[in-house]
Amino acid sequence: MIIKIIKASENCLHSVVDIINDATLNLNKKGINQWSYPCDAKEVEQDIMMNHVYILVLNDNVVGTFSLKPIEHYAPVDVEPNSKYLYRLAILSAYKGNNLGKEMMEYVCRTARCLGSTIYLDCWAGNKKLRNFYTEAGFEFLGDFPEEDYFISVFKYK
């Protein structure tokens, strides 16, 4: 099994959108409606152009994605200087259970250490499995905060 994590290029747009939409439908089946379906392909394309999107390639197949961008302000909490926001972490449902999410999180944590950055992320507060995943990956739980008509759990990695 050969795993690579690289920055997404423009020709990866459809793969990234497909992965996000697959993950969104999978979340919706569980009653988790944090992401909109279908995802906004133009927004994803802009993030790719800004070099914020990464892909996880397994044996030459794009099966996962995440985005990481600089943040100066983050409404729920005060952020530290040189911080990044981790978002749209998704793996094709057919590849779940292969520790690929763990691979992505280890990559993000290594990147944070190399850059001397603090990483912030959030998820729907009712997703206990994901909350546990982030805690096990070394992220500190900062609390639950209101957003629109639900609560989000906010985490940081330093």
Side-chain angles (χ1 to χ4, degrees):
M1 183 162 70
I2 300 171
I3 298 171
K4 294 186 292 186
I5 296 175
I6 57 175
K7 291 229 177 160
S9 63
E10 286 181 64
N11 63 352
C12 299
L13 175 63
H14 294 295
S15 294
V16 172
V17 167
D18 288 347
I19 292 166
I20 295 167
N21 284 334
D22 176 77
T24 301
L25 290 175
N26 194 34
L27 289 170
N28 289 347
K29 287 178 191 172
K30 297 174 184 175
I32 300 169
N33 298 309
Q34 184 172 345
W35 291 352
S36 299
Y37 180 85
C39 79
D40 184 344
K42 291 225 180 276
E43 183 179 312
V44 174
E45 183 177 35
Q46 287 176 333
D47 282 352
I48 288 173
M49 300 301 287
M50 297 290 294
N51 290 314
H52 297 160
V53 181
Y54 294 77
I55 54 172
L56 183 138
V57 181
L58 175 66
N59 299 330
D60 296 324
N61 297 311
V62 179
V63 301
T65 185
F66 64 89
S67 297
L68 189 63
K69 68 181 176 182
I71 58 169
E72 294 178 14
H73 304 286
Y74 182 48
V77 297
D78 291 328
V79 297
E80 297 178 27
N82 192 31
S83 293
K84 309 278 186 220
Y85 178 63
L86 175 63
Y87 60 110
R88 285 198 305 246
L89 178 72
I91 298 170
L92 284 173
S93 55
Y95 291 88
K96 293 213 181 241
N98 291 310
N99 289 320
L100 298 175
K102 183 179 177 184
E103 289 281 340
M104 287 196 291
M105 294 304 284
E106 288 174 355
Y107 179 91
V108 169
C109 292
R110 281 193 310 271
T111 300
R113 286 190 299 272
C114 288
L115 296 174
S117 296
T118 300
I119 307 288
Y120 293 86
L121 62 81
D122 57 56
C123 69
W124 178 58
N127 192 338
K128 293 183 195 276
K129 184 176 179 181
L130 191 54
R131 289 171 50 146
N132 289 337
F133 173 74
Y134 292 143
T135 301
E136 290 171 8
F139 282 72
E140 175 189 354
F141 174 67
L142 299 179
D144 292 331
F145 302 89
E147 181 164 302
E148 296 177 23
D149 58 346
Y150 58 91
F151 279 80
I152 58 169
S153 295
V154 176
F155 296 82
K156 83 172 183 178
Y157 179 87
K158 184 172 182 173

